[in-house]
Amino acid sequence: MTVLAGCDNNPWPSEAAATNTFFTSVQERSPRHLDPTASYWNNETPYTYSIYEPLYGYHYLKRPFTLVPKTAAEVVKPVYLDKDGKILPEDAPGEKIAESVYEVPIKKGVLYQPHPAFAKDEQGNFRYHALKAGELGPKRSPLEFEHQGTRELVADDFVYALRRHATTRITAPIYGLFSEYVVGLKEYGPVIKAEDAKLRKGLAPTDMDKPFLDFRKFEMSGVTAPNKHLLRIRIKGKYPQWNYWMAMTFLAPIPWEADAFYAQKGMAANGLTLDVWPVGTGPFMMTEYVQDRRHVLARNPNYRGEPYPCDGMPGDKEAGLLADCGKKTPFIDKVVFTIDKEKVPREAKFKQGFYDTPVVERTDTGLEYIVQAKDSEDVKREFDYKGFQLPKFIDTNSYFIAFNMLDPVIGDMGTAAEKLKKKKLRQAIAIVIDWEEWSRIFPMDAGEAAMGPLPGGLFGSRHGTPEGINPVTHKLVNGEAQRRSIEEAQQLLIEAGYPGGRDAQSGQPLVLNYDYYSAPTPETKSRLDWTVKQFAKIGLQLEVRATDNNQFQDKVRKGKHQIFWLGWLADYPDAENFLFLLYGPNGKTKADGENTSNYESVEFDKLYNQLKQLDDGPEKQVVIDKMVKIAQEDTPWTWGYFPFASSAYQAWVHNAKPAVMIRDGLRYYRVDAAERVRRTADWNKAIWWPLIGGLLAIALVVWGAVRSFKKRERLNARGELLA
């Protein structure tokens, strides 16, 4: 049996389960960008929000989402200035505000993670900022350098980070938006472009080694550091949503030393860049990076230890979410991410206890397990026995079927009378697409039927209340929302000029086109078929025009789409981030914006421009209610549904309260390693009888072969057995 020692199904070393480590997987490839200037993809956030710290974050437990300071000492209110630079009162009308000035105090004593970019010699000179040819050698990790250093976070690091959005060296997806609001950033862009061209003169476009582009050399009036721990940001006009951008890693501090260190010859070729090896002040630091295989975050030894929250929502205390009140985070020492592209092995490893959660960056994986438990009593018993945590909630995202308002058949085109008929056609369709039924038939994609564009959890949303019911698609019956009848939809269709789905004048059937952004597969076909049946309820024919996403994007930019499927995930928890999807100047076809419906309403757009300048409060609620009512009546969308979010966690994982907006959750998780060892040992007991049975069978075969061989040895030439 010595040969069999260590043979089991555990993918980790035998002692790993007993360590203070969090195990999870990544269902795609390695992150493309970990440089905070460039990073804008969901699968990058578990790393970036664990390594970097923006000025603000969101309270881990409170809903609606509440801003709290991170590297900032407090969440500040802006000072409003008029065109002459005079201070205005807090309640000044938005049109009188020329600038909003944010003076953000920075916490003292915050240190960066250990990194060779900060290492200095006895004379105070940087050890690794002027490496000579050959000195870098085969090093592919900052941890391979003998000397490591650190320094205190200062306001100038945020100044450097904001200026850096003007870079031409890497992808900078938010530069366009930031340059519209941050004073001087738009003018700063050409200055940096010219400097970069000067530095790269004579270099081949494919040359990986580029001279250090030092953003400290060029001043920009909109972002300054009046003193070491005070950051001043000047924003054009009034833009309350700027607070939310300060909670994103686009405003994470970047030390110039890291930029200079990684700009040296040979660094990029060895994978030594901010895209691979970030430098932050957060609770974790990257310690292992194996492309498309494995990534490891380890506790940042210089992290100050922000306390776990002591307040939350009703039910949080009962759920054990306040048990660690006031204790310093993070609770875990290491996070191991394994690239696991296939769903089946990833799910198997979770069920066996080898993953503490299947994935970190998504909040829809728990639904798979919830559905499995509902479909099988045996599975439910297994999940209950193992104690899987499967929280389910509504998050800040939505999916819907919508209309291209530039389309001549179904859009907002023609005379007033023609527009009214087309609106009634859209309203009829919005009634018959039964999103409540969708959730019953497709539980893996389930959610709550939407009555408008705003999911719950946002200020101004009426979702789930009687006031939030869409009068076009639903009515209130015994205190519950009830979808309007097929007969009501048919009546609207008659008034639209299509009785029974046929043109009242020509008698020809009305054929509509459904533009879908994914090619038909067995998985999507059932959903497409369901959609076609919804239209058929009132005699409408729906032709599915499914393409790949690139073709779909080309189609919508040209305005060649008619009816289409779309989803939206909030960048920040403000109603504006959803309502801008219906803002006229943001039209996809005319302006390449995010208003894919190309919806335009003079009244809606006027209110939207008011909304952008309003702080949360009664006035903002009134404006939101008016905007939602206008959109409900005009029906550019069928409103769709707000999908359930759900994650899966093992019983030994504590403090799990997932939400799309909470990107830094890893620092709050706590693991009971002893419980993990006990449970995984119980779930993965070695089953020896097949092996023992196999060995006995082999022994029997060998015995038979030996016996047969000996018998043959005793036969003579005539086949007689000799004594």
Side-chain angles (χ1 to χ4, degrees):
M1 297 299 288
T2 306
V3 179
L4 304 175
C7 293
D8 58 30
N9 60 337
N10 192 343
W12 319 124
S14 57
E15 69 279 4
T19 63
N20 190 23
T21 303
F22 191 87
F23 297 96
T24 187
S25 75
V26 178
Q27 64 183 35
E28 298 178 24
R29 303 180 64 185
S30 290
R32 185 178 179 186
H33 296 295
L34 295 182
D35 185 325
T37 302
S39 178
Y40 202 14
W41 295 97
N42 187 55
N43 68 328
E44 297 159 0
T45 56
Y47 313 99
T48 55
Y49 281 84
S50 297
I51 295 170
Y52 295 110
E53 289 184 294
L55 292 160
Y56 302 156
Y58 294 106
H59 192 289
Y60 183 58
L61 301 176
K62 288 184 178 179
R63 307 291 184 270
F65 299 100
T66 305
L67 287 170
V68 294
K70 269 196 168 180
T71 48
E74 60 179 300
V75 175
V76 302
K77 291 184 178 181
V79 174
Y80 299 129
L81 305 177
D82 66 12
K83 58 183 177 60
D84 298 318
K86 295 179 180 179
I87 296 177
L88 295 170
E90 287 185 12
D91 59 353
E95 61 271 14
K96 290 188 177 182
I97 298 173
E99 276 189 21
S100 302
V101 181
Y102 292 81
E103 299 224 339
V104 187
I106 306 303
K107 288 178 179 175
K108 297 178 181 179
V110 175
L111 296 177
Y112 281 99
Q113 68 183 65
H115 196 277
F118 303 118
K120 293 183 178 181
D121 61 21
E122 291 75 13
Q123 289 72 44
N125 300 314
F126 287 105
R127 290 181 179 274
Y128 303 117
H129 279 215
L131 294 174
K132 297 176 183 177
E135 284 189 314
L136 178 61
K139 297 183 183 70
R140 292 185 173 273
S141 163
L143 300 175
E144 294 177 31
F145 288 79
E146 180 183 357
H147 299 281
Q148 305 285 315
T150 187
R151 72 160 169 83
E152 185 186 21
L153 169 71
V154 294
D156 272 323
D157 297 330
F158 294 96
V159 175
Y160 189 89
L162 255 169
R163 291 178 182 176
R164 196 168 176 268
H165 282 281
T167 185
T168 54
R169 294 278 178 91
I170 58 172
T171 300
I174 299 299
Y175 170 71
L177 186 145
F178 278 9
S179 66
E180 293 297 319
Y181 288 104
V182 179
V183 173
L185 185 57
K186 182 174 287 187
E187 296 76 16
Y188 192 70
V191 173
I192 295 302
K193 186 176 182 180
E195 173 68 6
D196 187 34
K198 177 182 174 183
L199 291 171
R200 296 169 69 173
K201 187 176 181 180
L203 296 178
T206 56
D207 197 327
M208 298 178 71
D209 294 321
K210 304 175 183 67
F212 175 39
L213 179 57
D214 191 350
F215 295 90
R216 297 174 300 164
K217 293 170 58 177
F218 305 94
E219 296 294 324
M220 192 183 80
S221 60
V223 189
T224 55
N227 64 53
K228 189 177 180 181
H229 294 100
L230 182 65
L231 174 67
R232 178 179 293 153
I233 305 176
R234 296 166 57 198
I235 299 297
K236 299 173 186 176
K238 184 178 181 181
Y239 183 48
Q241 291 77 22
W242 181 254
N243 264 335
Y244 297 120
W245 286 108
M246 290 196 284
M248 300 176 73
T249 49
F250 293 121
L251 265 79
I254 296 179
W256 70 267
E257 296 95 330
D259 235 4
F261 173 81
Y262 286 131
Q264 298 178 89
K265 285 186 177 296
M267 289 282 183
N270 282 20
L272 290 165
T273 69
L274 278 175
D275 264 344
V276 178
W277 299 102
V279 184
T281 64
F284 296 100
M285 54 187 283
M286 185 74 74
T287 58
E288 188 175 341
Y289 191 107
V290 183
Q291 182 71 30
D292 294 335
R293 289 184 58 193
R294 172 184 165 99
H295 308 296
V296 177
L297 298 181
R299 183 190 292 267
N300 172 8
N302 296 338
Y303 185 63
R304 61 201 177 277
E306 289 291 323
Y308 186 88
C310 290
D311 55 345
M313 301 299 292
D316 283 350
K317 183 177 181 180
E318 293 75 8
L321 290 170
L322 297 180
D324 290 315
C325 161
K327 295 178 183 177
K328 288 186 176 182
T329 61
F331 299 122
I332 51 181
D333 296 329
K334 185 187 294 185
V335 186
V336 175
F337 298 87
T338 302
I339 311 297
D340 219 339
K341 297 179 182 179
E342 297 297 327
K343 176 181 174 181
V344 172
R346 181 171 61 248
E347 185 176 295
K349 289 173 190 173
F350 175 72
K351 290 179 179 178
Q352 291 169 315
F354 301 131
Y355 285 149
D356 298 313
T357 187
V359 293
V360 171
E361 74 274 14
R362 297 183 66 91
T363 57
D364 57 0
T365 53
L367 282 176
E368 299 177 18
Y369 300 94
I370 292 173
V371 171
Q372 288 177 33
K374 286 183 177 179
D375 289 347
S376 168
E377 281 297 322
D378 290 340
V379 171
K380 184 178 184 305
R381 279 192 292 271
E382 178 194 355
F383 289 3
D384 289 345
Y385 171 72
K386 292 183 174 180
F388 292 163
Q389 301 178 69
L390 304 171
K392 188 175 79 170
F393 52 95
I394 293 294
D395 216 339
T396 50
N397 57 334
S398 67
Y399 291 106
F400 50 88
I401 290 173
F403 309 102
N404 176 17
M405 300 298 273
L406 297 179
D407 182 76
V409 175
I410 207 164
D412 189 36
M413 308 291 287
T415 65
E418 290 170 338
K419 288 183 178 181
L420 179 60
K421 286 186 175 182
K422 292 169 185 176
K423 179 170 73 173
K424 291 184 176 182
L425 172 59
R426 296 193 300 272
Q427 290 178 341
I429 294 170
I431 290 172
V432 297
I433 299 183
D434 190 342
W435 293 106
E436 292 87 354
E437 180 186 82
W438 167 278
S439 292
R440 294 192 298 271
I441 294 177
F442 305 112
M444 296 286 287
D445 297 306
E448 294 180 359
M451 303 288 172
L454 300 180
L458 305 176
F459 177 85
S461 171
R462 302 283 192 181
H463 177 70
T465 69
E467 297 83 6
I469 289 177
N470 184 342
V472 172
T473 59
H474 289 73
K475 54 188 176 182
L476 193 64
V477 179
N478 298 324
E480 300 288 337
Q482 185 180 96
R483 185 167 291 276
R484 291 191 178 275
S485 66
I486 298 297
E487 290 73 26
E488 290 171 284
Q490 289 171 331
Q491 180 58 40
L492 284 170
L493 203 58
I494 292 171
E495 295 171 17
Y498 298 101
R502 292 179 175 272
D503 188 290
Q505 295 182 356
S506 68
Q508 294 297 312
L510 177 61
V511 180
L512 300 170
N513 297 309
Y514 184 38
D515 296 289
Y516 196 71
Y517 61 80
S518 174
T521 64
E523 184 179 13
T524 60
K525 187 177 183 304
S526 59
R527 290 156 175 76
L528 295 173
D529 290 344
W530 178 87
T531 305
V532 171
K533 289 177 182 177
Q534 302 305 299
F535 283 73
K537 292 176 185 176
I538 50 176
L540 295 176
Q541 294 185 30
L542 188 67
E543 293 289 335
V544 177
R545 299 193 298 192
T547 61
D548 64 36
N549 189 51
N550 289 338
Q551 291 172 311
F552 174 79
Q553 293 298 333
D554 183 62
K555 189 182 295 185
V556 299
R557 285 189 174 92
K558 294 177 180 177
K560 301 298 184 182
H561 56 311
Q562 188 175 62
I563 300 172
F564 59 97
W565 172 279
L566 202 65
W568 184 253
L569 173 64
D571 289 310
Y572 46 86
D574 191 88
E576 181 258 358
N577 195 240
F578 282 87
L579 294 172
F580 92 119
L581 298 173
L582 295 168
Y583 179 53
N586 200 31
K588 174 66 75 175
T589 302
K590 293 181 179 179
D592 201 23
E594 296 297 342
N595 177 0
T596 312
S597 291
N598 295 305
Y599 173 65
E600 285 191 70
S601 164
V602 173
E603 189 178 359
F604 184 96
D605 292 348
K606 182 180 177 182
L607 289 167
Y608 177 81
N609 286 318
Q610 291 180 34
L611 175 74
K612 289 194 299 181
Q613 300 179 341
L614 294 176
D615 299 307
D616 291 353
E619 185 181 359
K620 184 174 180 179
Q621 183 69 66
V622 169
V623 171
I624 290 173
D625 288 342
K626 288 180 179 178
M627 294 176 71
V628 170
K629 185 176 180 181
I630 292 168
Q632 287 173 333
E633 174 65 22
D634 288 344
T635 318
W637 301 353
T638 64
W639 307 118
Y641 69 104
F642 303 132
F644 291 125
S646 180
S647 296
Y649 300 93
Q650 300 288 357
W652 54 79
V653 176
H654 299 275
N655 302 331
K657 188 175 181 178
V660 166
M661 299 307 304
I662 304 295
R663 300 292 188 178
D664 61 341
L666 284 171
R667 72 171 181 160
Y668 299 107
Y669 293 169
R670 178 167 54 82
V671 171
D672 185 338
E675 182 69 7
R676 176 169 58 196
V677 170
R678 186 187 69 79
R679 287 184 180 247
T680 52
D682 178 50
W683 301 348
N684 298 279
K685 290 177 180 176
I687 302 174
W688 297 106
W689 68 261
L691 184 59
I692 295 170
L695 291 174
L696 288 174
I698 293 171
L700 186 62
V701 170
V702 171
W703 176 79
V706 170
R707 186 170 180 271
S708 177
F709 174 77
K710 288 182 176 180
K711 183 178 180 180
R712 285 199 302 272
E713 288 290 304
R714 294 166 59 196
L715 293 176
N716 60 21
R718 294 187 294 274
E720 298 170 340
L721 187 64
L722 301 175

